[in-house]
Amino acid sequence: MTDVFALWRWQYLWNDRMVFIKGLWTTIIIAAGGLMLALLLGFTFGLMATSRNKIAKSFARVYLEIFRNIPLTLQVLFIYYSFIYSGVKISPTIVGIMALGLCIGALISEIVRGGIEAIPKGQYEATAAQGLTTLQTMRIVVLPQMIKIIMPPLATQLAVLVLNTCVLQMIAGNDLMYVTSNWVANGTLSYGPAYLVCGLLFFAVCYPITSMARRQERLHLGTRR
Amino acid sequence: MIKLIDVNKSYGDLHVLKNVNIEVKEGEKLVIIGPSGSGKSTTIRCMNFLEKPTSGEVWINGERLTDKNKTRLVRDNIGMVFQQFNLYPHMTILKNLTMAPVLHRLMTKEEAQEVAYHYLDLVGLRAKADAYPNMLSGGQQQRVAIARALCMKSKILLFDEPTSALDPEMVQEVLDVMIKLSKENITMVTVTHEMGFAREVADRIIFMDDGRILEEGTPDEFFNHTKNERTKAFLSKIL
């Protein structure tokens, strides 16, 4: 058993370190792209979910229910093979950004809706009484208060997004998880050091995000303004 | 200044305002009283379209209030003070006062701050300019809310039960500010349960019950010489 973590395996991994660094980089790119898309979709559909327009509202609802009730892996495969079979060659990175963006976007839309609904009705009445337009009300009064409320759950979703880049190994996504497994399978079967390093890298990226979320939350509960 | 003509308001089957007609003259201090659920809050909220009447007309300063012009008409003419204060919790007191006037380009930032300090002096809270609303007591917050409404330089101020959410010992500090204001030439419409205030400040009192105006008159007529049985019953309970 001690052979799993034998020294030569670590040396071997060190020699191939660029593989892991590239994998991590791909994961970060996918997470960053996915976050942009997820924020865009999340805010758009979250705002739609709170609108008085019934069509917009149900549209947002359908989006949310589809993407939060189907496994992410299946979404990735579906998007990937849809493109492949329609003859479009698509990079797994783009598929990853799309799938994660769509999925996490749905979860963020729910966070945004909750955040907006947490703003008391009196705030809207105060701005109406002061002659602010709907857009001004959103920009000056609702969004600034809402951002504070949703920051912690939003940061949590960002960590979830980074971790979920793992599902891209199904389509050879060159993400950190994929390159790790690949490196193990095609080499010396040094899965001990490989998985340990892979886990540490994920932890190193996500821990600062989640602990920031927790600090933010405490801060928010502390001052309540 | 304000005219309600045959205003009706229904929520589904619930008919809360029934043919309400009110005309408020310039500079007049009108107080609306009545039991809970009588429609007095709905009435005052129709005056700036926080509630849109189901039927009937609202006129402000010779212009008919519609969905299209309400933002401008309300901004230019009417300020409001709410039962729950509704200050903006993420802004300092000073910013609460200056935000809308600066946004609407009624004044520059410097002018707005000068005006804000003037009204903070009036309500006795200049020292709180840099505080946030949650650091203030209820009475202080409501005085700030009054100053905020004044900063818009509106000619009409609506007060929707301004003291109902306050602890008893804070009611008077808010009423004192309102009494001070009543000496100015602004048009005030107040919904309240404070009979002492109504007696002292009102030019005219409107008594509402079950969505209708039952009686209107001067404080003297209303408190001392009413013939209306419903009014008598109401007054006997609260005086």
Side-chain angles (χ1 to χ4, degrees):
Chain A
M1 276 304 283
T2 51
D3 181 55
V4 174
F5 289 106
L7 188 62
W8 66 270
R9 293 189 189 278
W10 286 99
Q11 281 164 341
Y12 185 65
L13 187 145
W14 178 249
N15 290 338
D16 281 346
R17 60 189 179 278
M18 278 318 285
V19 171
F20 291 85
I21 291 171
K22 273 190 193 152
L24 179 62
W25 181 242
T26 307
T27 280
I28 289 174
I29 295 288
I30 293 168
L35 180 69
M36 304 274 199
L37 183 60
L39 285 176
L40 191 73
L41 292 172
F43 272 83
T44 308
F45 283 96
L47 287 170
M48 276 165 64
T50 57
S51 90
R52 264 166 297 182
N53 185 324
K54 281 217 172 83
I55 299 169
K57 216 171 172 157
S58 37
F59 204 66
R61 186 88 206 158
V62 169
Y63 166 65
L64 169 70
E65 296 302 347
I66 287 178
F67 284 95
R68 79 166 170 190
N69 291 309
I70 294 175
L72 182 58
T73 312
L74 193 61
Q75 293 169 32
V76 168
L77 292 174
F78 186 83
I79 293 172
Y80 185 60
Y81 287 110
S82 303
F83 278 108
I84 298 294
Y85 278 103
S86 50
V88 182
K89 230 176 115 49
I90 188 165
S91 111
T93 305
I94 302 293
V95 174
I97 289 173
M98 282 175 62
L100 284 165
L102 281 164
C103 177
I104 304 294
L107 302 179
I108 290 180
S109 81
E110 193 67 347
I111 294 172
V112 169
R113 183 187 62 77
I116 290 177
E117 282 173 1
I119 307 298
K121 211 172 129 233
Q123 294 289 299
Y124 295 93
E125 294 184 348
T127 58
Q130 288 202 297
L132 270 67
T133 63
T134 309
L135 224 58
Q136 289 169 335
T137 300
M138 277 317 223
R139 180 168 60 84
I140 301 168
V141 174
V142 177
L143 288 181
Q145 292 186 60
M146 179 199 104
I147 295 288
K148 268 189 193 152
I149 300 172
I150 69 171
M151 259 327 264
L154 220 50
T156 307
Q157 285 306 318
L158 174 58
V160 168
L161 207 155
V162 173
L163 297 178
N164 275 329
T165 56
C166 280
V167 301
L168 292 182
Q169 71 166 327
M170 304 289 300
I171 58 167
N174 288 322
D175 56 291
L176 181 56
M177 192 67 233
Y178 173 75
V179 299
T180 305
S181 303
N182 213 27
W183 184 83
V184 171
N186 295 344
T188 54
L189 300 181
S190 302
Y191 49 84
Y195 288 151
L196 199 65
V197 165
C198 177
L200 283 174
L201 287 176
F202 271 118
F203 189 85
V205 173
C206 290
Y207 182 71
I209 299 172
T210 51
S211 56
M212 188 194 76
R214 228 185 43 198
R215 255 203 322 276
Q216 279 267 339
E217 193 155 26
R218 263 207 308 263
L219 214 69
H220 176 62
L221 292 177
T223 60
R224 277 243 47 110
R225 56 169 80 125
Chain B
M1 289 241 87
I2 310 176
K3 224 192 280 183
L4 302 191
I5 304 172
D6 288 332
V7 166
N8 281 273
K9 177 76 187 175
S10 304
Y11 300 101
D13 290 338
L14 203 63
H15 199 173
V16 291
L17 290 188
K18 296 160 188 165
N19 286 322
V20 171
N21 286 283
I22 297 178
E23 187 173 351
V24 189
K25 288 186 234 25
E26 186 172 350
E28 189 179 18
K29 320 297 177 218
L30 175 67
V31 172
I32 304 175
I33 61 181
S36 299
S38 59
K40 53 196 192 306
S41 264
T42 310
T43 301
I44 200 173
R45 289 159 63 88
C46 280
M47 291 178 180
N48 63 354
F49 260 34
L50 281 185
E51 303 284 353
K52 195 186 164 193
T54 313
S55 70
E57 298 174 7
V58 180
W59 289 73
I60 304 294
N61 233 349
E63 250 186 285
R64 182 168 173 192
L65 193 57
T66 64
D67 272 334
K68 270 216 177 97
N69 67 15
K70 71 173 175 188
T71 303
R72 174 182 58 83
L73 215 50
V74 167
R75 180 187 69 206
D76 292 349
N77 292 289
I78 310 178
M80 189 166 199
V81 174
F82 301 88
Q83 186 175 353
Q84 299 291 344
F85 333 135
N86 298 345
L87 296 176
Y88 307 124
H90 59 304
M91 299 179 190
T92 62
I93 299 308
L94 189 64
K95 191 84 203 292
N96 263 279
L97 269 57
T98 57
M99 183 272 284
V102 174
L103 182 72
H104 298 321
R105 298 181 201 285
L106 301 179
M107 29 190 127
T108 66
K109 196 175 161 206
E110 290 70 30
E111 287 166 351
Q113 288 184 352
E114 209 171 295
V115 171
Y117 278 117
H118 170 74
Y119 286 120
L120 281 177
D121 277 336
L122 182 84
V123 301
L125 289 169
R126 171 184 274 259
K128 300 289 185 187
D130 295 320
Y132 284 87
N134 69 339
M135 302 156 115
L136 271 54
S137 71
Q140 290 173 329
Q141 289 192 45
Q142 193 62 298
R143 280 146 65 196
V144 169
I146 294 172
R148 176 173 73 176
L150 288 167
C151 280
M152 295 285 286
K153 299 278 185 189
S154 309
K155 287 161 235 101
I156 306 168
L157 282 185
L158 308 178
F159 294 83
D160 185 8
E161 301 204 29
T163 57
S164 297
L166 297 174
D167 291 340
E169 72 265 31
M170 292 172 184
V171 168
Q172 200 53 46
E173 63 185 66
V174 171
L175 290 181
D176 285 344
V177 168
M178 292 176 65
I179 291 167
K180 218 192 287 183
L181 274 183
S182 68
K183 314 272 193 273
E184 313 273 323
N185 184 34
I186 34 178
T187 309
M188 280 171 77
V189 181
T190 309
V191 169
T192 188
H193 293 288
E194 296 294 331
M195 295 306 141
F197 173 81
R199 208 192 280 264
E200 179 172 350
V201 166
D203 296 321
R204 182 159 57 116
I205 289 175
I206 284 182
F207 177 67
M208 290 186 73
D209 188 29
D210 192 29
R212 277 178 237 277
I213 294 176
L214 284 196
E215 192 173 358
E216 56 181 294
T218 64
D220 181 52
E221 286 164 357
F222 180 77
F223 285 109
N224 305 326
H225 307 289
T226 183
K227 304 260 180 331
N228 188 306
E229 287 306 314
R230 181 70 187 89
T231 309
K232 277 182 190 161
F234 177 75
L235 289 176
S236 74
K237 265 185 217 138
I238 59 166
L239 288 181

